[in-house]
Amino acid sequence: MVNLKLLDLYDNQLKEIKPFTFERLINLKELNIYKNQIKTIQKDSFVGLINLKILSLNKNQLKDLKPFLFEHLRELNDLDIGDNQIKHVKKSSFYGL
């Protein structure tokens, strides 16, 4: 799966993303995790996604964005976090973007 470019996890009833979940997907360009039940994304969940350009997290149940959550996503161009329940966002959540 190291050559995988697109991973679509749409509508899978996922509840959380744990650290290092995607660490071996170094060539991934697009990650769609929308329309799940994700409440928590832990720090270091996106380690290894060094070429990711598009991340869709819309239509989940996110309440906050942890500090440095996206720090490993240096190539990210498109981030969709719409239609969540986000109440708290720290400036440091977007560090590295």
Side-chain angles (χ1 to χ4, degrees):
M1 285 206 328
V2 98
N3 293 319
L4 192 67
K5 304 276 190 229
L6 167 66
L7 180 57
D8 193 340
L9 297 170
Y10 166 79
D11 202 6
N12 276 287
Q13 300 177 346
L14 299 173
K15 297 193 186 318
E16 71 176 311
I17 302 174
K18 294 184 178 182
F20 308 102
T21 299
F22 307 106
E23 73 177 321
R24 294 179 188 246
L25 301 177
I26 59 171
N27 290 309
L28 199 67
K29 303 270 187 214
E30 184 172 347
L31 178 57
N32 298 319
I33 316 174
Y34 56 96
K35 199 176 178 193
N36 281 283
Q37 300 166 9
I38 298 171
K39 294 181 180 179
T40 304
I41 302 175
Q42 297 180 20
K43 187 178 182 315
D44 294 330
S45 292
F46 301 119
V47 167
L49 297 176
I50 57 174
N51 291 302
L52 194 71
K53 295 197 178 297
I54 301 169
L55 176 58
S56 299
L57 293 166
N58 56 317
K59 295 189 180 187
N60 279 289
Q61 298 172 9
L62 293 171
K63 294 186 186 231
D64 64 3
L65 298 177
K66 306 268 188 246
F68 306 101
L69 183 60
F70 305 111
E71 73 177 320
H72 301 286
L73 304 177
R74 304 283 180 179
E75 297 297 317
L76 195 68
N77 293 325
D78 189 343
L79 173 63
D80 188 349
I81 53 175
D83 204 10
N84 277 286
Q85 302 167 7
I86 299 171
K87 296 184 188 218
H88 298 86
V89 177
K90 296 187 178 192
K91 184 178 178 182
S92 59
S93 298
F94 300 104
Y95 176 82
L97 296 181

